[in-house]
Amino acid sequence: MATKERVITTIQSEFRLFRQPHKIGDVIEIDEKSYLILGIQRYTLYGQLLTIWYTAQNLMITDFMSMNKAYKQPHTVELVVKLKFDDDRLKNCHLGSVHHLKGQAYKLQEYSGIYVKGTDIEICFIARPIHPIDRKEAKAKLFSERRKKLQLEIL
């Protein structure tokens, strides 16, 4: 029994360094099938080889139900990191990590682009600002935790 092909799939592509990888919105052809690149899941850089896992839509499959976006995007910004291909700081630029810029903390949520410019790699991210809770709420939480730790009861 043949398995049904999926509309949304993952595609792994390898690129020699200094060669431009695919971008979000590009249409690529694999095994005589066309795929639209919707996003970047992750990447690895090993020596002179850049491997990227893309989220892609199989454009050959047309029998699916179109849907509007079911969720509203929270406030996000785009951050860009441009470093030499052999810079160790590239290892810290992964999804879920928190970075500080101009006194504000941001959590990296999604890759929005990877570009090769000479010996530099430029990685673009969609990031969400992280805000601390209110001071009064923070003090109350700290007081409550200390009270639990000391096993004190207020009468």
Side-chain angles (χ1 to χ4, degrees), residues 4 7-8 57 61-68:
K4 184 178 177 187
V7 176
I8 305 296
Q57 177 178 341
I61 299 175
T62 57
D63 61 338
F64 63 92
M65 187 174 295
S66 295
M67 297 174 13
N68 291 333

Side-chain angles (χ1 to χ4, degrees), residues 15-81:
F15 303 91
R16 287 250 164 247
L17 210 52
F18 315 119
R19 189 173 152 239
Q20 204 60 250
H22 304 300
K23 298 183 297 274
I24 294 173
D26 284 354
V27 175
I28 59 175
E29 205 165 300
I30 300 172
D31 298 330
E32 298 180 13
K33 294 177 186 168
S34 296
Y35 294 91
L36 172 67
I37 295 179
L38 300 174
I40 300 170
Q41 294 178 10
R42 65 185 171 128
Y43 76 96
T44 59
L45 180 61
Y46 186 74
Q48 302 271 327
L49 190 64
L50 176 65
T51 305
I52 302 175
W53 286 262
Y54 295 103
T55 302
Q57 177 178 341
N58 185 341
L59 296 176
M60 307 309 283
I61 299 175
T62 57
D63 61 338
F64 63 92
M65 187 174 295
S66 295
M67 297 174 13
N68 291 333
K69 287 190 176 181
Y71 59 92
K72 190 177 169 186
Q73 277 289 77
H75 175 68
T76 59
V77 296
E78 186 169 37
L79 301 178
V80 178
V81 174

Side-chain angles (χ1 to χ4, degrees), residues 75 104-105 128-133:
H75 175 68
Q104 174 65 48
R128 174 179 61 84
I130 299 175
H131 303 287
I133 62 172

